[in-house]
Amino acid sequence: MNNLDLTELYGRSNNDIIVELGRRFRAYRIALRMTQKDIAEKTGVSVMTIVRFENGNGCSIRIDNFVALMRSIQRLESIAEIIPDIPASLYDIQTADNRVKRRVKRRRDEK
């Protein structure tokens, strides 16, 4: 349970993944020689939220708090890796008049 291995990632619960992220965040915070109070003051996220996230006691964390915490440990670029730009081959699915599709419409036989 110490590493988020891609081969095992889908077999883990959301909570297990959040616990691992909290553990990794704590390691970064300590490596940067920052206290939980330092992070809280820098981000506006409460100390208790940080404690719960790091200890895996909170089964969820708000996305805005997560982004703020990532910014505080100078790992904001990792956010872009969560949902990377779509590859060109998938993005090229366009309508007949060359517009990019904005939504999916189900066919009658798929309902």
Side-chain angles (χ1 to χ4, degrees):
M1 199 69 79
N2 289 339
N3 293 319
L4 286 176
D5 181 6
L6 287 178
T7 59
E8 300 174 7
L9 191 59
Y10 284 95
R12 292 188 178 192
S13 71
N14 293 348
N15 190 58
D16 288 345
I17 293 168
I18 293 169
V19 166
E20 179 65 19
L21 291 173
R23 185 194 66 77
R24 288 181 181 195
F25 174 81
R26 181 178 190 272
Y28 270 95
R29 178 183 58 76
I30 291 170
L32 291 169
R33 304 185 51 78
M34 297 178 80
T35 65
Q36 291 169 332
K37 185 177 178 183
D38 293 335
I39 297 288
E41 289 172 355
K42 187 173 183 175
T43 63
V45 176
S46 75
V47 172
M48 283 311 300
T49 296
I50 296 167
V51 168
R52 284 193 300 268
F53 179 53
E54 288 185 355
N55 292 336
N57 294 334
C59 65
S60 65
I61 184 168
R62 287 185 0 206
I63 191 74
D64 61 327
N65 286 342
F66 183 71
V67 171
L69 294 177
M70 294 297 286
R71 183 185 305 276
S72 74
I73 60 168
Q74 301 166 16
R75 296 297 306 163
L76 198 54
E77 68 279 357
S78 297
I79 296 292
E81 295 173 21
I82 292 174
I83 302 179
D85 286 335
I86 192 164
S89 61
L90 293 176
Y91 196 69
D92 286 339
I93 301 172
Q94 299 177 347
T95 61
D97 58 357
N98 213 23
R99 289 182 297 152
V100 176
K101 288 187 176 186
R102 300 272 182 226
R103 61 185 180 174
V104 175
K105 200 173 190 182
R106 295 214 185 270
R107 288 183 268 167
R108 291 181 189 178
D109 59 347
E110 289 185 35
K111 294 180 182 179

